[in-house]
Amino acid sequence: MKKTPKKILGILGLFAVAAMTVFAATLPTISASAAGNVTDTIVIRVRSSSPWVEINEPSNDAIISHPEQTIAYEYIYLTKVTAQLTYTDGEGSHTVTLAEIDLSDESGEGEIPFDLSSYGYGDFTIRLIGDGDDGSPYEDTISISYYPVITTVEQDPTTEDVYANLDYDLDNPDIDTIVLNVYSEDDPEKLLWTTTVPRGTTKVELPFAEEGFLAGKYIITTTAYDAGGDSLYRPYTVGLDYTRKSDVPTDVPNTGVLTSGALNISKTDFLVTGLIILFITSFSGIYFIVHRRRGSRK
């Protein structure tokens, strides 16, 4: 008789564990979702102990299509800063001074506006030279490229529509028309499609679906022309990895036993499997206890 309460408590304990498991499975995973969506960013800046100058904008190797730009810079322990622009044309290499600024503060930041329309399109080097308070020069250098028009290509994720976004100075009188060409990356010499749009156009649909283009990598070039039909500069080139909905399988096999809004399939399957094992173990234990009880009475 003394063992009977212990056996009953054991059986009740097994049922309690099962009930707690089911209850825990129904709880929403709010805390996990919140933790996954929160990102803390800590920026630590170490201040130099010696003269120093740095160009923050434009970024190095930037490609721009608007002539009016600004050099944003930071400095420390400088008495003067000089901005120089170097470019190459048909007559050779040239270096011009954009600005010379005397600095009175120990450290700080500044901006120097400049205009590239006087120098034409091409590759430029911007050099910022600072006179240190120790009498030595310090400098930072970047390179930029100036095109009459630059292009970004995007494909709608829900359709096969492809668009080219044109970025340029809409008031640039040199631009009369813009020509877009499409090539395959496997055969860049073979023209697949072309169109000409007037100045003022900023978005062009590329009919990849209508033309029956296969999924793959393509090259899109953009060239600006003047009123006489002459190109203003070399073509701007951008790539596209084109995908088609018909090439992507839409029916994904459902290997899960249950579906739940708060759980994914693999977690649900794992939970169901664990519950099955728990119930089998529980009933096996109950059967073993009852069987022993009857055997002891005999």
Side-chain angles (χ1 to χ4, degrees):
M1 296 297 293
K2 293 182 179 180
K3 294 183 178 181
T4 300
K6 294 182 179 180
K7 294 176 181 179
I8 294 175
L9 290 175
I11 295 172
L12 293 176
L14 290 174
F15 278 112
V17 172
M20 291 174 63
T21 303
V22 174
F23 176 74
T26 60
L27 291 176
T29 56
I30 297 177
S31 59
S33 300
N37 294 330
V38 176
T39 303
D40 293 332
T41 302
I42 300 176
V43 179
I44 300 176
R45 188 154 206 164
V46 180
R47 187 169 179 175
S48 174
S49 58
S50 60
W52 161 83
V53 64
E54 182 179 41
I55 300 174
N56 294 328
E57 294 180 5
S59 59
N60 189 37
D61 295 329
I63 300 177
I64 60 176
S65 58
H66 297 266
E68 296 181 356
Q69 298 291 322
T70 299
I71 302 172
Y73 65 93
E74 293 180 81
Y75 70 91
I76 187 172
Y77 303 138
L78 298 181
T79 59
K80 182 180 180 180
V81 64
T82 302
Q84 294 181 345
L85 181 73
T86 301
Y87 66 98
T88 302
D89 58 15
E91 299 178 357
S93 179
H94 309 274
T95 299
V96 296
T97 299
L98 299 177
E100 292 183 353
I101 302 174
D102 293 324
L103 305 174
S104 57
D105 295 333
E106 183 180 83
S107 64
E109 50 189 41
E111 293 183 345
I112 301 174
F114 65 100
D115 193 334
L116 293 175
S117 59
S118 303
Y119 313 108
Y121 307 104
D123 300 322
F124 297 83
T125 299
I126 298 175
R127 179 177 289 106
L128 210 58
I129 305 172
D131 296 339
D133 56 5
D134 58 356
S136 301
Y138 298 86
E139 68 176 62
D140 189 23
T141 304
I142 64 169
S143 298
I144 62 174
S145 297
Y146 175 37
Y147 280 75
V149 58
I150 59 179
T151 308
T152 57
V153 179
E154 59 179 354
Q155 181 178 3
D156 192 311
T158 60
T159 66
E160 296 179 5
D161 298 334
V162 179
Y163 298 93
N165 300 302
L166 309 179
D167 181 20
Y168 60 100
D169 182 7
L170 297 176
D171 297 325
N172 186 348
D174 296 335
I175 300 177
D176 181 66
T177 59
I178 300 173
V179 176
L180 291 91
N181 294 333
V182 178
Y183 305 87
S184 171
E185 191 178 79
D186 297 331
D187 189 2
E189 300 298 327
K190 182 180 179 181
L191 179 63
L192 300 178
W193 181 84
T194 184
T195 188
T196 302
V197 297
R199 177 165 58 95
T201 305
T202 58
K203 191 169 187 178
V204 180
E205 182 176 1
L206 307 180
F208 273 61
E210 291 82 352
E211 296 292 330
F213 289 172
L214 300 177
K217 295 184 178 181
Y218 292 85
I219 297 172
I220 294 92
T221 64
T222 310
T223 309
Y225 290 83
D226 60 18
D230 297 324
S231 61
L232 298 178
Y233 191 52
R234 64 175 181 253
Y236 179 81
T237 303
V238 65
L240 170 67
D241 191 356
Y242 176 60
T243 59
R244 301 193 310 175
K245 293 194 299 182
S246 57
D247 297 333
V248 179
T250 55
D251 295 326
V252 180
N254 185 1
T255 59
V257 178
L258 300 175
T259 58
S260 172
L263 301 176
N264 55 40
I265 294 176
S266 60
K267 185 176 179 180
T268 303
D269 289 343
F270 177 79
L271 179 60
V272 171
T273 303
L275 289 175
I276 292 174
I277 295 174
L278 176 62
F279 283 121
I280 291 176
T281 305
S282 301
F283 284 114
S284 297
I286 294 172
Y287 175 79
F288 178 75
I289 293 172
V290 173
H291 182 72
R292 287 192 58 185
R293 180 180 178 185
R294 290 178 179 177
S296 62
R297 287 181 178 177
K298 292 180 180 181

